[in-house]
Amino acid sequence: MKILTRYYWVIMLLVVNFACTEKELAKEEEQDIVIKKDEVMPLIENKTWGLTKIEKQIGTGTRSELPASPEYTAYKTQCSFTYSSGYVGFYSGNESTSDTEKQKNNFPSYARTFSIFTRISLPVGLDYSWDDTAGTMVTHCYDGTKILKIPLDQTAYLEKGTLVLYKDMAAAQASKIPENITLVSQEKDATLGAVTYYYSFRPLYPYKLHTTQWENDSFVMF
């Protein structure tokens, strides 16, 4: 429970930041890519997602990952996200630093294992839906925080060109192409102009679920 409280406001900063964005984000090449709601949404909603990286792009420059920091590390190792019934929530947990779990379960060496508390999903002030006009999923900021001045009613889009989804854990483990969803946001900076952020996520698959109410469950990311 301490972890949940400790990182609640940290994760609010992360998630609301990518959700509260300008609405005109679609690139021309993205417009030609067709993805289907009935195929995409069930594969997003029925999974738990871990952040893999945040990239920043100024104008039309090169995308580069944000520099390392304790907060950034916490985003990638101690938080995971769920999409359910139109709302985004998050779980808290920890990444394992031992190779024992990977060896015991015959996971590949590049896999990452996590211990996650899934009994409580905390809200992050986001809802999500399918945008028929854009032909993709969008997230919408419906609530701000008392700590940050967050603009309401802004939208971020699921990037179609980098979307990779598999039906189950076996398919994800067997593929050489990692599963991925990327949410794209854009803001106007008075000095830099248009600044675009790319938030990339990969599924965390449960491989050991516990029956005890306050015990963490075991997850793996390929």
Side-chain angles (χ1 to χ4, degrees):
M1 293 302 294
K2 290 183 179 179
I3 295 177
L4 286 172
T5 303
R6 180 180 178 185
Y7 287 99
Y8 177 75
W9 293 115
V10 175
I11 206 65
M12 283 292 292
L13 171 61
L14 166 69
V15 180
V16 177
N17 188 39
F18 75 63
C20 303
T21 63
E22 298 295 332
K23 294 185 177 181
E24 297 179 358
L25 299 177
K27 302 177 183 178
E28 289 185 6
E29 58 268 26
E30 283 278 295
Q31 296 175 359
D32 298 327
I33 300 174
V34 177
I35 59 176
K36 297 180 179 180
K37 175 183 177 181
D38 292 343
E39 295 176 355
V40 169
M41 295 304 290
L43 296 181
I44 292 178
E45 292 179 315
N46 293 327
K47 294 175 182 175
T48 299
W49 296 88
L51 177 73
T52 55
K53 62 181 176 181
I54 306 174
E55 296 172 292
K56 179 179 179 180
Q57 180 182 26
I58 299 174
T60 58
T62 303
R63 288 163 59 164
S64 58
E65 187 171 1
L66 296 187
S69 69
E71 292 79 11
Y72 189 20
T73 299
Y75 298 157
K76 295 191 291 184
T77 61
Q78 298 185 356
C79 301
S80 57
F81 300 85
T82 61
Y83 295 81
S84 179
S85 302
Y87 293 92
V88 182
F90 88 93
Y91 297 134
S92 183
N94 285 284
E95 181 174 8
S96 173
T97 57
S98 171
D99 289 333
T100 302
E101 282 295 299
K102 289 190 285 187
Q103 295 169 354
K104 183 170 63 177
N105 292 279
N106 293 318
F107 294 146
S109 59
Y110 60 80
R112 299 168 61 191
T113 55
F114 296 79
S115 176
I116 300 174
F117 185 75
T118 61
R119 307 306 186 268
I120 299 176
S121 176
L122 294 175
V124 293
L126 293 177
D127 56 29
Y128 69 92
S129 61
W130 186 267
D131 186 322
D132 288 324
T133 301
T136 190
M137 187 188 82
V138 300
T139 61
H140 164 251
C141 181
Y142 68 83
D143 191 14
T145 75
K146 295 180 180 179
I147 296 177
L148 304 171
K149 294 182 179 180
I150 301 297
L152 302 178
D153 295 326
Q154 298 298 305
T155 304
Y157 288 83
L158 176 69
E159 188 176 48
K160 294 183 284 186
T162 59
L163 183 65
V164 181
L165 294 170
Y166 300 116
K167 291 185 177 181
D168 52 35
M169 176 175 163
Q173 183 173 356
S175 178
K176 295 181 180 180
I177 302 175
E179 207 160 353
N180 178 77
I181 62 172
T182 297
L183 289 165
V184 186
S185 71
Q186 190 178 83
E187 61 185 19
K188 301 293 184 182
D189 185 277
T191 303
L192 301 175
V195 180
T196 307
Y197 291 91
Y198 301 83
Y199 296 81
S200 297
F201 298 82
R202 196 173 297 172
L204 298 167
Y205 286 100
Y207 64 90
K208 185 178 181 181
L209 300 176
H210 296 280
T211 56
T212 305
Q213 185 177 5
W214 298 110
E215 206 170 357
N216 286 13
D217 295 320
S218 301
F219 287 75
V220 62
M221 176 190 290
F222 298 110

